[in-house]
Amino acid sequence: MRVTIYGSGYVGLVTGACFAQAGNTVVCVDVDEAKVAALLRGEVPIYEPGLEALVRANARAGRLRFTTDVAAGVAHGLFQFIAVGTPPDEDGSADLRHVLDVARAIGAHMEDYRIVVDKSTVPVGTADRVRETVQEALAARGRQVDFDVVSNPEFLKEGAAIADFTKPDRIIIGSDSERATRELRRLYQPFNRNHDRILVMDPRSAELTKYAANAMLATKISFMNELAAIAERLGADIERVRVGIGSDPRIGYHFIYPGCGYGGSCFPKDVKALVHTAEQAGCEAAILRAVEAVNARQKRWLFERLAAHYGGELAGRTIAVWGLAFKPNTDDMREAPSRALIEALWASGARVRAHDPVAGGQARRLWGERADLVLCEDPYEALDGAAALAICTEWEAFRSPDFELMRARLAAPVIVDGRNLYDPEQLRAAGFRYYAVGRPPV
């Protein structure tokens, strides 16, 4: 089948590469000429395990092409996937300018039936606005062309996006058109073979499902972090509490890990957008606002523990940081807890030595060259002369380190662990002062 995807960012690129791998002919359209030129050279601008190889293989096979030519994209695909960014506006609402610009361009060039698919995460009612925008562009040309608009939200986890796309938990199609639904079933058939994962619903319900899913996951994180704060005050161990509540099948063990807060491109933006949508509709989003507040507080946890340990005297000290990305297996630093920590350390006069397996380049682009920041290729190198180690990301390489070597290279044997990676008793035996989220310090 012939597919056009507008936007060659995270969602667009993964979607395009996976559709092409299934044998479809895919054209990815992007307005960023430099990005398109890089993709044509086989250079993938984001880190995602397996994506670069997938893009290169399908580009070589002729199934995946990249262009800035919008008219060529409209002419190519029966499916017109909109996968552009929806950044938050100042009031927290999703900015739909790019989505509507694509819809306008499709209407300006469309000559026969097309299925316009909203893949971007968008507020409830966006499918209606996209339909109106395409129709207005057709009317401006004096043309009448049949088309359908469908909501088909993505559920891709950074670091596992290819597996999530090719072996999905669910494929949601928000459609009021039998024809469009039938064609999308055909398109997704290669990823829907084991059992039927397709859920068909109206577009507004599909749009809300995406926001609700991310808001629910964010809520679980903030709830566990709230419990962790209570555990710290009461002298309880949140890890034992986690196992205790997770054993209840109504709760389960998934996504109930305390930590130093959520980040990334989805949860913070989508919770804010859902709050805005709810309040615009006259609903008080009290729980969602509490989720945001708890997360903002939790991102200060690492710095507050370091400051408390040193009696507020951090100026002139060096702090080692392991992990810059907001989660493992990605280089995405958007809203990452590491950013809140490092910027607070700088404000207090401290210096930072940091290591991340893949996000060092993002850190350089974000902060540039600074005298108070050293980015290290080796995790143990980051420890040299540091008054403490702060752990922000649970990379596999950090899970079983050489504690004896760590103690030798740190200036003081202090670990502040924002991901609860280690056994406190093991750290006690190794001679460390160890702080973990929701656990008694040792």
Side-chain angles (χ1 to χ4, degrees):
M1 305 186 82
R2 298 168 71 86
V3 179
T4 298
I5 298 175
Y6 299 92
S8 295
Y10 187 83
V11 173
L13 207 50
V14 171
T15 301
C18 290
F19 276 143
Q21 180 69 12
N24 301 290
T25 305
V26 179
V27 170
C28 291
V29 181
D30 203 291
V31 296
D32 187 334
E33 294 182 0
K35 181 188 288 185
V36 169
L39 288 165
L40 289 170
R41 294 192 300 269
E43 299 170 10
V44 175
I46 57 175
Y47 177 81
E48 175 64 33
L51 181 59
E52 187 172 281
L54 205 61
V55 168
R56 289 180 175 178
N58 284 282
R60 282 196 303 269
R63 293 189 297 267
L64 181 61
R65 294 185 283 125
F66 302 96
T67 184
T68 58
D69 188 341
V70 175
V74 177
H76 170 78
L78 167 63
F79 301 98
Q80 303 277 305
F81 278 83
I82 301 177
V84 294
T86 53
D89 239 332
E90 290 183 6
D91 60 0
S93 63
D95 185 345
L96 294 178
R97 283 178 298 173
H98 303 311
V99 170
L100 298 179
D101 283 347
V102 173
R104 203 168 289 114
I106 292 171
H109 297 286
M110 189 167 60
E111 295 295 339
D112 51 16
Y113 177 73
R114 292 290 181 265
I115 300 171
V116 181
V117 185
D118 290 335
K119 199 70 172 169
S120 302
T121 301
V122 292
V124 177
T126 298
D128 295 333
R129 293 187 64 183
V130 168
R131 184 179 290 105
E132 291 165 5
T133 302
V134 174
Q135 193 60 60
E136 288 168 3
L138 286 169
R141 295 166 55 204
R143 297 295 307 276
Q144 285 190 337
V145 180
D146 284 343
F147 69 95
D148 285 307
V149 178
V150 174
S151 174
N152 175 223
E154 53 85 13
F155 296 95
L156 306 177
K157 298 186 296 291
E158 292 192 43
I162 293 171
D164 286 344
F165 194 99
T166 56
K167 299 175 182 178
D169 298 318
R170 73 284 210 199
I171 301 166
I172 290 182
I173 298 174
S175 171
D176 49 20
S177 162
E178 289 186 9
R179 180 181 182 183
T181 301
R182 183 173 62 251
E183 294 292 350
L184 275 165
R185 280 187 176 277
R186 286 182 58 210
L187 180 63
Y188 276 108
Q189 193 271 339
F191 315 110
N192 192 44
R193 296 175 67 87
N194 182 267
H195 63 274
D196 191 3
R197 299 176 175 87
I198 291 178
L199 304 174
V200 180
M201 58 187 72
D202 61 279
R204 285 178 173 251
S205 295
E207 291 163 343
L208 182 56
T209 296
K210 169 61 178 179
Y211 276 120
N214 279 354
M216 176 62 80
L217 295 172
T219 299
K220 293 181 77 171
I221 293 170
S222 282
F223 180 74
M224 287 305 296
N225 285 334
E226 182 111 300
L227 286 180
I230 296 169
E232 287 179 13
R233 294 296 183 95
L234 298 178
D237 186 337
I238 193 62
E239 289 299 319
R240 297 184 184 277
V241 174
R242 178 183 66 79
V243 174
I245 65 174
S247 62
D248 185 331
R250 296 171 301 174
I251 298 171
Y253 293 107
H254 292 296
F255 238 75
I256 57 169
Y257 291 91
C260 52
Y262 62 76
S265 63
C266 295
F267 288 5
K269 173 177 70 73
D270 293 351
V271 172
K272 284 183 173 64
L274 186 54
V275 168
H276 182 269
T277 297
E279 293 181 346
Q280 288 291 104
C283 296
E284 181 186 2
I287 292 176
L288 294 177
R289 285 206 173 277
V291 168
E292 288 187 297
V294 170
N295 193 58
R297 181 186 72 202
Q298 200 67 14
K299 286 185 177 180
R300 298 192 295 270
W301 184 89
L302 287 161
F303 176 77
E304 289 171 354
R305 292 301 172 278
L306 288 165
H309 180 82
Y310 282 107
E313 299 295 327
L314 290 172
R317 299 184 192 274
T318 297
I319 304 298
V321 175
W322 279 6
L324 296 170
F326 85 95
K327 63 179 289 188
N329 297 318
T330 181
D331 61 354
D332 192 345
M333 289 182 61
R334 285 173 286 185
E335 306 268 358
S338 65
R339 294 178 62 170
L341 169 64
I342 290 171
E343 287 162 12
L345 288 170
W346 287 336
S348 71
R351 299 181 297 272
V352 174
R353 295 175 64 85
H355 167 76
D356 188 283
V358 300
Q362 292 289 354
R364 287 188 184 88
R365 282 186 283 275
L366 178 64
W367 289 313
E369 297 296 327
R370 300 179 52 122
D372 51 7
L373 173 65
V374 177
L375 296 171
C376 304
E377 293 297 320
D378 178 79
Y380 297 103
E381 179 190 354
L383 306 179
D384 289 340
L389 165 64
I391 299 174
C392 297
T393 316
E394 63 274 31
W395 284 95
E396 285 289 334
F398 302 159
R399 291 184 179 274
S400 186
D402 183 337
F403 291 114
E404 189 174 327
L405 178 59
M406 291 170 68
R407 200 170 189 279
R409 299 188 75 157
L410 283 163
V414 179
I415 298 176
V416 182
D417 184 356
R419 298 300 178 186
N420 290 8
L421 296 185
Y422 307 133
D423 176 2
E425 290 308 313
Q426 183 182 7
L427 270 290
R428 186 200 302 276
F432 283 89
R433 181 70 172 174
Y434 179 62
Y435 302 92
V437 180
R439 312 192 78 176
V442 300

